[in-house]
Structures are given as C-alpha cells and as structure tokens.
Amino acid sequence: MAVIAKVNVASLYVLDKEEALDFYVGKLGLEKGNDVQQGSYRWLTVRVAGGGTEISLEEPGPPLHDEATAEQLRALITKGALGGLVLVTDDVRAFYETLKARGVTDFTQEPTDHFYGTDMGVRDPSGNAIRILQQG
Amino acid sequence: MGRAVEQLNRRLLRARDAIDRGYARPLDVGAIAAVAHLSPAHFSRCFRDVFGETPHRYLQRRRIERSMFLLRETGRSVTGICSEVGFASLGTFSRTFRAIVGESPSGYRRGHGPVVAPHCVQMAHTRPLRNSAVPEKPTSPRSH
C-alpha cells in the first residue's frame, strides 16, 4: 500500500521575503534551500541545515490572491492570527542567549521548563509565532 | 493605507505579547502602550479594534487561564494561585473566575485534572472564551 513518506514542503505566509530570509537564516540559523526567480515569482525556502522539510516563505499577492484578499492576509499575519512553527534545539537556554546576542527582542516567552522539556517563544518579523523546544 | 494597518497591527501584537509575558504584574497601560508607540487612550481603542476586546479584558482572560492551569496541574492553595497570577485580592479573583468560568476556583479544581498537551497549546486553546456578561471595569493605569 502506498503511503506518504515525508513532509517535503510546508508554507508560511510572511510580509516580506527578504526580511523573513534575514530572520530565518541570519537569526535562527536555518539554511536557505531553494531560491529560484521565475518571472515575478521568487520560490524561496529555508530548512534545517542538512535537509528535512523545507519551509516555503510566501508573500500574499497576485497572481494567487487579488489585492483585497492579500490585504486581508497581511492584516491576519501581522495580528499573529495565522500559522507558526515548532522547532527543536538541543540547548534552548543557550539558543535563547544566541538569539539575544543576534539582536532578537521579540520574545513571547523566555525558556520555561515543562514535563515534556523546555521551550521558548519568539515572533518572526511578520508576527508568526515560533516555538523552540528542547525535548526531554 | 494597507501598510500602515500592518505596522499598527504588528506593534499592537508586540504589546499583546508583553501582556502575556507580564500577566502576573499589575497592568501598567502606559508601559504597554509605549511598546506599541501609542498614547494609553489611543492604545486601548486600537487594541480593541484589532483584537476585539480591551487590554484589560485580554489580561483578565490570560490570568484566569493561568489560574485554571495552576488549579489543574498543582496542589497550590487558591490564595497562592490568586496572587501568583496577578490578582491583588482574593475577592476580585474569585468573582472574576466565577464570572468567566462559571464556577468557583475550588469547584473547578475538583472537576479537572492535568491536561496532557504542550504548554503553548494549553495557553492558546484552554483560555476561557469571552463572556459578554462579565462586567468590566474601565481600564485604569494600575488596575486589578
């Protein structure tokens, strides 16, 4: 029986691809995956170094969305009402210090212990919620 | 026009995050409004327009959610939980809890055990719904 083998690409709406790239690569330390310009469309993905699921950074707008729809999406993104990510690190407290040293200030939660591990929260420049978890 | 709305939303979201981080402290509307680069009065109005409730009501529901979490997950006393989530008086806490949740803190504790879900999921999805019947005091600089 055929089954799905892998989550290959997941999409995340952002306000500005270049700003998002600077955050996900420059601050979070992910690596750039695909960066392909096709006409007016830039296919841009980031991923954990070495492979795995690619996160496609998408801006609302034409030709996928009419301007009114794009404006609604941008309003929802900036209200923090759309999706987000949960990422895993092996040392969340050290990573928190790394992010602060890189100038990140938009934390939603400092590292906090739970029964399933320690996690923290931060927002990307657009307003998407990102959880960073150290399991165990 | 669109760009200005997005920038305002983003600043208000940053201020809302500050409320979520600092729920245990007295609400300092001036300080929170400054996060959004707005005057206190303008901030409260804009916050309500964007998130559908006043900053004070948002904070109330966050505190009640945190108290529900502590009632479910810990054996701490109701009085201890009351001050831990930022209420200055047990009377205000009990009244607000009952108005939002529909039962007393100790009644809620008897009926609920720990929830097995990540903390961020609980914070987002077990926060009590808005109840329009709950009387709301006007937002003041240091209100409880």
Side-chain angles (χ1 to χ4, degrees), chain B residues 3-30:
Chain B
R3 198 72 197 145
V5 168
E6 292 151 24
Q7 288 172 357
L8 177 62
N9 284 353
R10 189 65 188 82
R11 297 205 310 267
L12 289 166
L13 179 61
R14 200 166 284 129
R16 200 187 74 176
D17 288 341
I19 295 176
D20 278 332
R21 281 197 312 274
Y23 65 87
R25 294 190 293 271
L27 178 63
D28 181 345
V29 175

Side-chain angles (χ1 to χ4, degrees), chain A:
Chain A
M1 190 176 70
V3 295
I4 301 296
K6 170 187 179 188
V7 176
N8 199 39
V9 180
S11 298
L12 188 69
Y13 279 122
V14 297
L15 282 190
D16 182 284
K17 286 182 186 176
E18 200 55 47
E19 180 185 60
L21 186 65
D22 178 64
F23 176 79
Y24 284 100
V25 175
K27 305 286 197 267
L28 285 193
L30 301 184
E31 73 175 13
K32 187 159 78 171
N34 291 281
D35 189 358
V36 179
Q37 190 75 37
Q38 274 196 305
S40 63
Y41 179 72
R42 182 185 183 188
W43 181 39
L44 179 65
T45 69
V46 295
R47 63 190 175 209
V48 172
T53 303
E54 306 221 4
I55 302 160
S56 177
L57 303 173
E58 303 280 354
E59 286 172 14
L64 209 52
H65 310 110
D66 61 281
E67 188 42 46
T69 304
E71 192 169 314
Q72 289 175 324
L73 279 168
R74 285 194 295 265
L76 291 171
I77 295 167
T78 48
K79 281 189 202 190
L82 292 190
L85 299 169
V86 181
L87 306 173
V88 168
T89 180
D90 57 357
D91 188 342
V92 73
R93 289 178 205 281
F95 195 70
Y96 175 67
E97 295 303 324
T98 300
L99 289 181
K100 283 203 292 188
R102 289 176 182 161
V104 174
T105 56
D106 238 338
F107 296 104
T108 53
Q109 180 203 298
E110 295 180 356
T112 307
D113 295 324
H114 308 289
F115 70 87
Y116 49 84
T118 305
D119 65 6
M120 57 167 281
V122 63
R123 287 202 190 272
D124 80 1
S126 302
N128 294 307
I130 301 178
R131 308 290 307 179
I132 302 173
L133 169 67
Q134 177 185 339
Q135 289 167 313

Side-chain angles (χ1 to χ4, degrees), chain B residues 6-142:
Chain B
E6 292 151 24
Q7 288 172 357
L8 177 62
N9 284 353
R10 189 65 188 82
R11 297 205 310 267
L12 289 166
L13 179 61
R14 200 166 284 129
R16 200 187 74 176
D17 288 341
I19 295 176
D20 278 332
R21 281 197 312 274
Y23 65 87
R25 294 190 293 271
L27 178 63
D28 181 345
V29 175
I32 300 289
V35 173
H37 308 304
L38 296 170
S39 71
H42 194 207
F43 167 69
S44 294
R45 204 162 48 243
C46 290
F47 190 100
R48 185 175 201 145
D49 287 346
V50 168
F51 297 118
E53 62 188 331
T54 63
H56 181 258
R57 173 59 59 82
Y58 183 86
L59 172 65
Q60 259 187 348
R61 292 199 301 127
R62 170 55 66 217
R63 285 176 171 170
I64 294 301
E65 180 277 325
R66 288 290 78 198
S67 72
M68 292 164 82
F69 171 80
L70 293 169
L71 288 164
R72 286 196 308 268
E73 308 280 334
T74 74
R76 281 171 228 168
S77 70
V78 171
T79 311
I81 289 173
C82 158
S83 59
E84 192 172 335
V85 301
F87 285 95
S89 94
L90 189 57
T92 306
F93 171 59
S94 298
R95 208 163 42 246
T96 308
F97 192 99
R98 187 180 282 279
I100 290 178
V101 182
E103 58 187 326
S104 70
S106 49
Y108 176 82
R109 167 172 269 167
R110 277 194 296 277
H112 296 82
V115 172
V116 183
H119 189 248
C120 58
V121 174
Q122 293 197 43
M123 275 191 86
H125 297 285
T126 65
R127 194 155 163 258
L129 298 175
R130 292 166 198 182
N131 180 351
S132 56
V134 180
E136 184 175 8
K137 292 182 302 184
T139 305
S140 59
R142 294 181 73 83

